[in-house]
Amino acid sequence: MTRRLGRRKFLLYGSATLGTSVLLKACGNTTTTDANVAGSPTATTTSAASGDTIKVGILHSLSGTMAISEKSVVDAEQLAIEEINQAGGVLGKQIQAVVEDGASDWPTFAEKARKLIDQDRVVTIFGCWTSASRKAVLPVFEDKQHMLWYPVQYEGQECSNNIFYTGAAPNQQIEPSVDWLLENKGREFFLVGSDYVFPRTANTIIKAQLEAKGGTVVGEDYLPLGNTEVTPIITKIRQALPNGGVIYNTLNGDSNVAFFKQMQGAGLGPDRYPVMSVSIAEEEVKAIGVEYLKGHYAAWNYFQTVDTPANQKFVEAFKAKYGSNRVTNDPMEAAYIAVYLWKQAVEKAGTADDLEKVRMAAYGLSFDAPEGRVTMNPNHHISKVVRIGEVRDDGLFEIISSTDGAVDPLPWNQFVADTKGFACDWSDRNKGGKFKLDA
Amino acid sequence: MQLLIEGIFNGISIGAVLLIAALGLAIVFGLMGVINLAHGELMMLGAYTTFVVQNGFRQIGGPLLETYIFFALIAAFFVAALAGLVLERGVIRYLYGRPLETLLATWGVSLILQQFVRSVSWQLVIGLVIFCALFFGALWAISKRSNFYRIRNWAIAILAVLGAKISWEIAAALGRRFGLALTQPWFGAQNVDVTAPSWLRGGVVLMGFQLPYVRLFIIALTLICVVGIYLFLGRSPWGLRIRAVTQNRSMSACLGIPTAKVDALTFALGSGLAGIAGCAISLLGSVGPNTGQNYIVDAFMVVVVGGVGKLVGTLVAALAIGTINYLVGSGTLALISTPIQPLVDFFTFFATTSMAKVMVFALIIAFLQVRPAGIFPQKGRMVDA
């Protein structure tokens, strides 16, 4: 009796589960078609590829710690794809984006990259934010000879044939900002950063640069990622710089909020202790609070306040699609231009599938980006203008300094002894990713 | 001299933050034996409540804006306490006496809460409300039938699927119809900003360094909370019941103490304190989905070092850890030990924030070897219960 009941129960639950999953699947299918309307980028479009679409991959963290930053980059990439599709697509075909979630987890990034390439057969991938995620997917892209467009400023010291870097190299953000500080704000620097690869490499570069140019580092400290107790650092800053001086900030994430709030509480204001940040853009200003940031500085290639027709169009389109309270920032813009540069390269090559042709076609391409005219160099980085902005009342940046023209990228740093005199040129197979300059 | 005063003050101010974060946890973990990994997310709810209240007062404007923090404290307490109550009634009460299961369940809840604040929008809320109305309404209607228990499992399975499908369709249709007005997230994945009222910005200058008003405010708030909890547990009838249930649950039940109510109340109280902590830390740090994660480890550290179940232990541990953290991290110890060169080298090595954390953890491990039960261990017959 009990056994029979057990079997009946099993059948009952089994059919219930089956029914549920079938129904849920039905729901699931409706969501994918709504993905663009409902503004939920997590949904993955997986309908069978047909002859009139080109599949590209988008690989960012939609969950986990990095989702905070990467979600808006996805928004920018999808905006660019939508614009291109509305204007007729690429080579007469519509672009179809396959969105994957790297979940702020580096092995997941590599796995999803492999999945996008092997299973979805995308022709290129736009993605990654942290250097850790880029380093994790790099072997996948080199192994499969595939193509990644990486949109974030980074620490340099890398030049892969399979990655196009549309963010700044250190000589397009960090070095000019240090020069500007030396000229305008003082020669004594205190370095504050998060405890991982980007801040430590950036600070190595800054220290070498200051040594070459006559500045001094009076102290440095690193916070573990996510740490919000900065009292000891503030004490150190006050002891090392009793009469004020420059603070160079490479903190990432939540620590920034705590840092600026507590700096103000301790009475270290921008008049005597100006802070130059390289990871704080318009979105972060909103999150930290203008009251705490006003008068401090940031170095980027793009600010929402850049005065170009292309930027007006970009900002308007972005706000129309995602809401008027949203802001645009440098990595979003770099991701946006990555999509357009890829489109140009494909059109110039006449094919999207032959990656070698697309890659060669990309060199020398120019595009009127929101930040101004950018050019793709044979070292896979783009020439771009460098700007210094000061936070103003409305949370946007007043651009107080910008380079005369676009600065050419140098992936290998010329201040650090290990990489001094090295360059990268992928248009010539004999030179490749790292070769010694003769001069 | 100045070094000493600065060290003491900064030690206390770091300790006060640790203490206020750990206070609610000490009550829930100490008195109920529940390892609540969602404590940090209850703090996060308090921080978000502060943000909402602040924006509400900004809409009103005027001189009232300067006082928003007091209303935010009260609101944060009640929002977090309510969330805690729901959590206790919905999840934890089924898991008493099974610490590992509560650990996993509350961890799951913490992930759900984090994702919830990221993606909550009117569309989601409407969908959830419709689902709850359909599901629980229909279940209630069916429960009137005499053969309810026979068809219960069937009913739940079918209702859940049907309810999910209907509410999803309605929410999706509304989202298409009204667009961004409904689908735009309330908070989004980005952090949001909480600005201290202007009288809390800046600080009082004392012997060459500045005491931030925010820190003084948090120290005062922590003090009020500790005294309040002490009086509540020691002097009020409900405090007596809580202590009785802590010492001997079955005996208390025999004597007519409503243990289920006591459990719910204790958990809600601990959660409410987490809400207050969230409000306090929003003045110092960030308000975002990850806010709670930044404090949960420190809070557990304080409770374990202090001795589980002892308020005074939590207090001492928080102050001690705060002070050591400051003295090592700021390099003050290295400065003090100037004449003895090896000591200077030793402390200079640890004089960065990252390394100070390493040293604090090493010291805690060493300390727990000597006194495994913390500074003030629980004594009595029921210790291991």
Side-chain angles (χ1 to χ4, degrees), chain B residues 12 15-16 36 48 50 73 113 123 137 150 195 210 222 234 248 281 293 312 336 339 353 369 384:
Chain B
I12 291 176
N36 180 19
Y48 271 102
T50 312
L73 277 173
L113 283 176
Q123 191 187 19
R150 265 188 49 217
T195 312
Q210 185 169 328
T222 313
N248 195 330
I281 57 157
Q293 301 273 299
V312 60
I336 290 174
T353 318
Q369 299 299 315
D384 291 323

Side-chain angles (χ1 to χ4, degrees), chain A residues 9 12-13 15-16 19-20 23-24 26-27 30-31 34 37-39 62-65 67-69 71-72 195 200 220-233 235-236 238-239 253-255 257-259 261-262 264-268 283-292 319-326 329, chain B residues 2-3 6 10 13-15 17 58 115 118-119 123 153-154 157 161-162 164-165 168-169 172 175-176 179-180 183-185 189-197 200-203 208-215 281-291 294-295 325-326 328-332 335 351-355 357:
Chain A
K9 251 196 178 149
L12 194 155
Y13 288 137
S15 50
T20 318
L23 262 175
L24 281 180
C27 299
T30 49
T31 63
D34 295 344
V37 190
L62 302 169
S63 56
T65 344
I68 285 174
S69 305
K71 252 187 170 154
S72 51
D195 207 351
R200 284 198 180 260
E220 61 178 312
D221 203 343
Y222 298 92
L223 272 177
L225 272 175
N227 197 318
T228 53
E229 188 54 79
V230 298
T231 310
I233 292 187
T235 304
K236 278 191 190 168
R238 223 184 23 240
Q239 279 166 358
D254 289 347
S255 306
V257 187
F259 180 69
K261 281 188 174 177
Q262 294 177 36
Q264 196 189 58
L268 309 186
E283 290 224 331
E284 285 76 16
V285 175
K286 250 179 33 170
I288 297 171
V290 187
E291 290 84 348
Y292 298 105
K319 284 182 185 271
K321 187 163 157 69
Y322 298 106
S324 57
N325 62 339
R326 293 287 299 272
N329 65 25
Chain B
Q2 193 212 328
L3 224 60
E6 202 175 341
N10 283 326
S13 59
I14 298 176
V17 177
R58 262 193 198 152
Q115 197 56 46
R118 277 196 201 109
S119 47
Q123 191 187 19
N153 290 330
W154 268 105
V161 173
L162 267 182
K165 179 74 183 162
W168 177 273
E169 288 299 330
R176 275 192 297 274
L180 278 177
T183 54
Q184 189 159 306
Q190 260 292 345
N191 288 16
V192 295
D193 78 297
V194 165
T195 312
L200 271 181
R201 274 178 257 157
F209 77 101
Q210 185 169 328
L211 306 185
Y213 289 130
V214 172
R215 293 280 185 177
I281 57 157
S282 72
L283 299 175
L284 276 181
S286 59
V287 179
N290 288 52
T291 301
N294 299 335
Y295 290 90
N325 215 331
Y326 174 77
V328 176
S330 69
T332 311
L335 225 68
T352 72
T353 318
S354 288
M355 291 310 286
K357 207 139 201 182

